[in-house]
Amino acid sequence: MTRDKKRKAEIREAQRSTGHRYVRLAREMTAAARLPAGTFRLSELLAECATLPPADIEWGFPDEYAPAVFESRLIGRAVPYGTVLELAGALAQQGPGARITVESMSPLSQAIVVCRERRFQLLLSQNMVNELCRKAGCDGSPDCWALTRCPRHLAECDTNALVSMARNWGNGRRDEFEHDPERLGGSREADLLIRAAVAGGSFERVRAVLLDACFGDPNLYDDMYLDASVALAMQHALEREKLRLYEVAHAEAKRIREATGACTTCGVSLMGWNPGVPPQLCFTCAPPPPAEHLSPAFSWLAAQPDADQE
């Protein structure tokens, strides 16, 4: 039987067993055949979870603390049912067709899997999944849902990625504390984003987007808040956070310059700090600034100088 005839016979067999249309099955089976080794779809893993019987594993600790597991052919190890279901919840937006690749494996301990750049630690001795830093090989975790890298690798993100994270985190922060201006600022997550932006010379752009997402457009405060005292509180909170983030950025730039000592490209001594230049580079060696994509209503913020800016 030729390869083409064998493929058609497999599709017809799948059609008889599933009742699905031939064209759909042909497309799905062709795509599955092209997946790299160690890659499978979420639907396949869920099918294993739903149909395979429990496996007997010697954990080395009392059975009452052990999770119920099954032997997964796709992952290559015994995996807790609960871990698979938690992974399915984390990938709910991607749907059952999400492609998963096994990055690494530690028997009876963990499996690291990747789906669309997202990395997950599947714990094999308990029903748990942790989302990891998207840096390959890193076992750290982001500080919150809006960040894609751990603090150690956040500065490796480009400006667009930092802007996206700042917008997502700021919108979430505003949803939570919009009626409590004093709590909108002063967060560790904002500080991490600002420090990462300083390293890449994109401080002003990232700060502007972050403040816009957290506080909204100050020109609309009088219309948004009927109580003038609330509008004034929002304005004061915005200005305080704007200055505080500048101080965080200034301290980070100073730390980087002291650690570097001289321009990493030409070796010239580093003096002062320009927020649009990576602090490890002199002005001459700095790359061109990224294009600005700020909303017209809020672009004034990035252009305003800070009172204590050098």
Side-chain angles (χ1 to χ4, degrees):
M1 181 181 292
T2 65
R3 180 179 301 178
D4 188 55
K5 288 183 178 180
K6 182 179 180 181
R7 173 178 166 274
K8 290 179 179 179
E10 291 173 347
I11 296 172
R12 291 194 185 96
E13 179 60 32
Q15 184 182 23
R16 282 192 294 271
S17 61
T18 64
H20 294 164
R21 295 176 60 189
Y22 182 92
V23 174
R24 172 188 170 183
L25 288 171
R27 183 171 59 249
E28 292 179 350
M29 293 175 70
T30 300
R34 293 174 180 169
L35 295 178
T39 299
F40 50 88
R41 297 185 186 277
L42 176 60
S43 58
E44 297 176 281
L45 184 60
L46 287 173
E48 283 191 338
C49 182
T51 59
L52 293 181
D56 186 16
I57 301 295
E58 180 58 50
W59 294 103
F61 51 81
D63 291 342
E64 58 264 29
Y65 300 115
V69 300
F70 65 94
E71 289 286 353
S72 172
R73 176 186 60 82
L74 298 171
I75 293 180
R77 290 290 185 276
V79 183
Y81 293 97
T83 295
V84 171
L85 295 177
E86 189 167 339
L87 177 65
L91 297 177
Q93 289 188 338
Q94 281 70 46
R99 298 181 180 183
I100 300 171
T101 300
V102 178
E103 179 183 291
S104 64
M105 176 71 65
S106 297
L108 301 182
S109 175
Q110 67 175 18
I112 306 300
V113 300
V114 183
C115 178
R116 294 187 182 180
E117 297 185 350
R118 297 175 68 186
R119 301 174 64 247
F120 297 91
Q121 176 194 44
L122 310 184
L123 297 183
L124 305 182
S125 60
Q126 52 187 303
N127 298 310
M128 187 178 295
V129 172
N130 296 318
E131 185 155 5
L132 300 178
C133 172
R134 296 191 185 184
K135 175 76 172 181
C138 178
D139 59 0
S141 296
D143 267 39
C144 74
W145 63 271
L147 306 185
T148 63
R149 300 283 184 106
C150 67
R152 188 157 47 102
H153 294 120
L154 198 59
E156 296 180 12
C157 296
D158 62 22
T159 299
N160 290 334
L162 291 173
V163 164
S164 178
M165 285 184 268
R167 183 177 293 111
N168 290 338
W169 179 87
N171 287 334
R173 186 80 168 180
R174 189 177 181 188
D175 288 343
E176 186 175 4
F177 298 121
E178 183 176 10
H179 301 293
D180 189 357
E182 296 298 323
R183 300 184 67 182
L184 280 171
S187 70
R188 168 178 164 79
E189 294 82 2
D191 293 358
L192 289 172
L193 288 167
I194 290 299
R195 293 189 184 104
V198 167
S202 58
F203 158 66
E204 290 180 327
R205 182 179 173 193
V206 172
R207 180 181 65 166
V209 170
L210 194 153
L211 292 176
D212 187 15
C214 278
F215 294 90
D217 185 351
N219 295 319
L220 302 178
Y221 285 172
D222 290 339
D223 297 327
M224 294 171 58
Y225 305 106
L226 299 179
D227 188 337
S229 64
V230 176
L232 185 61
M234 284 290 291
Q235 184 69 51
H236 287 170
L238 167 63
E239 294 299 331
R240 282 195 301 272
E241 183 67 357
K242 181 189 175 197
L243 178 59
R244 191 191 72 82
L245 292 179
Y246 177 82
E247 292 171 346
V248 170
H250 188 273
E252 178 66 6
K254 181 179 179 182
R255 182 193 69 79
I256 293 175
R257 291 203 163 210
E258 288 178 350
T260 304
C263 174
T264 55
T265 299
C266 69
V268 69
S269 297
L270 297 170
M271 304 294 292
W273 173 52
N274 183 327
V277 176
Q280 65 272 23
L281 300 175
C282 67
F283 185 80
T284 303
C285 297
E292 295 289 342
H293 297 287
L294 301 177
S295 61
F298 210 75
S299 58
W300 66 273
L301 181 60
Q304 282 191 330
D306 292 277
D308 59 347
Q309 187 169 334
E310 294 180 355

